Amino acid sequence: DSGVTQTPKHLITATGQRVTLRCSPRSGDLSVYWYQQSLDQGLQFLIHYYNGEERAKGNILERFSAQQFPDLHSELNLSSLELGDSALYFCASTLRSTTDTQYFGPGTRLTVL
Amino acid sequence: GQQLNQSPQSMFIQEGEDVSMNCTSSSIFNTWLWYKQDPGEGPVLLIALYKAGELTSNGRLTAQFGITRKDSFLNISASIPSDVGIYFCAGHRTGGTSYGKLTFGQGTILTVHP
């Protein structure tokens, strides 16, 4: 158990819908990273937050957004969902933004029908 | 998106055999990490390497940070059935737009026959 929690574990929805994925980092960790894992693209970095502020963006679509709240949990919002958005979404946390060792949560499996 | 070149893509071995996998990149990384992922779970950190040339062990696992900082390998000795899973290498660069971002290899699927 990495100490990172993610909810829900599974999510099934329809095209065009909007969903919110939630992540709670390890106790004391200030940084949260979001990743998407699909069969054809592998593990891709989406976005990084540190202590409530966005620090870096990766291959994140404009339809996707994220935020980190004062209690340090983070939410990833996916809107206007398409079939290709079906994937595993992971968050990871670290103590400081410069810490290299990222601890991953169990993931949310999103299925868009 | 950019990925590291990880090989082999898959391995089928007998219990007790040693395993070796590696990652290469055209770019320099400051840190190399090796993760294992079981089906339906998140990646679990196995070994972290922070210095070029560093050789680090974790039980039956040994990993090295290449001296060029563009490659790394992972060895598993005396494999057991619970070693089954997908192994990922990941690289980290500090500074600039890469700040905090991990770049992952495509993964090596390991199957161990008892």
Side-chain angles (χ1 to χ4, degrees):
Chain A
D1 184 357
S2 66
V4 178
T5 60
Q6 288 186 250
T7 57
K9 187 138 179 86
H10 301 279
L11 197 49
I12 301 174
T13 188
T15 54
Q17 294 299 305
R18 181 179 189 275
V19 297
T20 297
L21 313 183
R22 182 186 170 104
C23 168
S24 292
R26 295 184 316 161
S27 176
D29 283 359
L30 301 177
S31 269
V32 171
Y33 307 79
W34 285 96
Y35 292 85
Q36 180 192 58
Q37 186 177 36
S38 59
L39 285 175
D40 57 342
Q41 291 291 318
L43 267 160
Q44 298 288 321
F45 167 73
L46 295 178
I47 199 164
H48 167 210
Y49 276 84
Y50 172 73
N51 204 20
E53 293 186 4
E54 181 185 304
R55 282 299 181 97
K57 268 186 173 179
N59 303 317
I60 188 166
L61 300 171
E62 286 191 9
R63 300 183 285 109
F64 296 0
S65 64
Q67 53 184 325
Q68 186 179 28
F69 294 86
D71 67 353
L72 301 176
H73 89 273
S74 178
E75 292 181 356
L76 179 67
N77 301 298
L78 315 177
S79 61
S80 302
L81 285 168
E82 302 174 359
L83 295 177
D85 297 327
S86 296
L88 273 165
Y89 291 85
F90 291 104
C91 76
S93 75
T94 64
L95 177 60
R96 302 179 303 270
S97 59
T98 56
T99 303
D100 303 329
T101 304
Q102 297 183 14
Y103 294 89
F104 282 77
T108 293
R109 180 175 291 280
L110 174 65
T111 303
V112 182
L113 301 175
Chain B
Q2 179 188 6
Q3 283 189 320
L4 301 174
N5 297 313
Q6 185 173 347
S7 64
Q9 288 189 358
S10 60
M11 301 184 73
F12 298 84
I13 62 170
Q14 293 290 327
E15 183 177 359
E17 289 183 358
D18 297 344
V19 172
S20 184
M21 58 192 79
N22 69 83
C23 264
T24 60
S25 171
S26 57
S27 305
I28 288 173
F29 286 96
N30 303 107
T31 302
W32 284 89
L33 305 164
W34 285 91
Y35 287 88
K36 182 190 177 199
Q37 186 177 19
D38 292 326
E41 302 293 329
V44 174
L45 181 67
L46 299 174
I47 291 180
L49 303 157
Y50 299 103
K51 288 172 56 176
E54 179 181 354
L55 184 71
T56 298
S57 293
N58 178 8
R60 293 179 296 106
L61 277 60
T62 302
Q64 184 158 30
F65 192 144
I67 57 172
T68 65
R69 294 201 284 160
K70 294 182 179 181
D71 64 320
S72 177
F73 73 75
L74 174 71
N75 287 338
I76 305 173
S77 62
S79 59
I80 59 178
S82 63
D83 290 334
V84 165
I86 305 175
Y87 291 79
F88 290 97
C89 62
H92 178 265
R93 296 192 194 89
T94 54
T97 58
S98 299
Y99 195 70
K101 167 189 172 183
L102 283 179
T103 300
F104 282 86
Q106 302 96 321
T108 295
I109 302 171
L110 178 63
T111 303
V112 179
H113 294 287

